[in-house]
């Protein structure tokens, strides 16, 4: 894989703040980095912090910042300005289940991808992963209900999950008419 000299941009949401900045992933996915238990903090470069009520209003910009992983509720990569040529990963076949995840001051609707049948308890008690991915994610914030964040994938801190539920699959209108 190709290592980059440019940090990947990431966004971290805590209960009250949106923190963005650059992170050197060194041939890792963001999920691998967050789930690496050897380091409990994140060093961000050129970081910004804003309150969730008004994430467009930057409170401060810092050249470096430290964020404890335990304080992160949700994380994602926004669209990147740099192209990555070497971030290709093996994908294993997984089932996709529609879920809702309620966390500290925010909710996510999306798909939980697991191998085999869905076991909600195992999804959040798997000690190997502190952060689980939710794909096709729609995030709503209690502090700013008008702001909807849609991302291909977000990472949710399992220690911050207050509710995880499987949603009933929606049947398209055409299929309902045939039933």
């Amino acid at each position: 894989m190709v290592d980059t000299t440019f940090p990947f941009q990431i966004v971290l949401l805590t209960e009250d703040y949106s923190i963005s900045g650059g992170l050197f992933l060194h041939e890792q996915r963001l999920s691998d980095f967050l789930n690496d238990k050897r380091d409990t903090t994140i060093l961000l470069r050129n970081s910004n912090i804003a309150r969730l009520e008004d994430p467009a209003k930057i409170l401060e910009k810092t050249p470096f910042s430290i964020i404890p992983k335990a304080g992160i509720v949700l994380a994602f990569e926004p669209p990147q300005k740099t192209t990555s040529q070497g971030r290709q990963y093996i994908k294993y076949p997984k089932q996709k289940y529609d879920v809702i995840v309620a966390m500290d001051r925010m909710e996510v609707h999306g798909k939980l991808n697991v191998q085999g049948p869905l076991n909600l308890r195992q999804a959040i008690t798997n000690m190997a992963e502190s952060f689980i991915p939710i794909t096709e994610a729609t995030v709503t914030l209690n502090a700013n209900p008008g702001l909807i964040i849609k991302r291909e994938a977000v990472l949710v801190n399992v220690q911050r999950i207050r509710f995880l539920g499987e949603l009933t699959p929606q049947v398209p209108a055409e299929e309902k008419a045939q039933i």
Side-chain angles (χ1 to χ4, degrees):
M1 284 188 206
V2 177
D3 196 9
T4 180
T5 57
F6 299 101
F8 286 94
Q9 295 303 304
I10 65 167
V11 176
L12 307 171
L13 301 182
T14 69
E15 288 183 48
D16 298 307
Y17 297 99
S18 171
I19 302 164
S20 61
L23 174 68
F24 288 101
L25 291 174
H26 302 291
E27 298 183 9
Q28 287 182 302
R29 298 177 296 185
L30 180 57
S31 61
D32 296 332
F33 177 82
L34 290 174
N35 285 316
D36 186 342
K37 298 197 185 333
R38 292 176 291 177
D39 196 349
T40 59
T41 61
I42 297 173
L43 172 66
L44 281 185
R45 289 164 168 71
N46 300 318
S47 56
N48 298 322
I49 185 168
R51 289 189 183 96
L52 290 180
E53 299 91 39
D54 188 4
K57 182 181 176 186
I58 305 298
L59 297 175
E60 292 293 338
K61 295 182 179 193
T62 61
F64 296 97
S65 60
I66 295 287
I67 298 95
K69 289 180 182 178
I72 299 167
V73 178
L74 183 135
F76 61 88
E77 289 183 52
Q80 301 294 313
K81 293 179 184 176
T82 61
T83 59
S84 65
Q85 300 172 6
R87 291 180 59 176
Q88 301 296 321
Y89 303 98
I90 297 172
K91 294 190 178 190
Y92 296 98
K94 294 184 177 181
Q95 301 285 7
K96 295 181 180 185
Y97 297 94
D98 289 320
V99 294
I100 178 171
V101 185
M103 299 156 303
D104 297 326
R105 301 186 185 169
M106 61 191 78
E107 296 91 33
V108 178
H109 283 82
K111 299 197 181 296
L112 180 62
N113 303 278
V114 297
Q115 291 180 331
L118 180 61
N119 180 334
L120 292 174
R121 181 172 291 156
Q122 184 177 352
I124 63 172
T125 58
N126 178 357
M127 296 311 288
E129 293 185 346
S130 301
F131 289 82
I132 58 171
I134 304 294
T135 60
E136 300 175 39
T138 301
V139 180
T140 54
L141 308 171
N142 293 3
N144 192 341
L147 176 66
I148 306 293
I149 301 169
K150 291 185 179 251
R151 290 288 175 255
E152 182 180 320
V154 298
L155 296 159
V156 172
N157 185 340
V158 296
Q159 297 300 313
R160 298 303 188 113
I161 293 175
R162 303 300 175 238
F163 176 90
L164 172 61
E166 180 182 11
L167 298 174
T168 305
Q170 297 294 321
V171 178
E174 305 88 46
E175 290 182 28
K176 284 182 183 178
Q178 295 175 359
I179 296 180

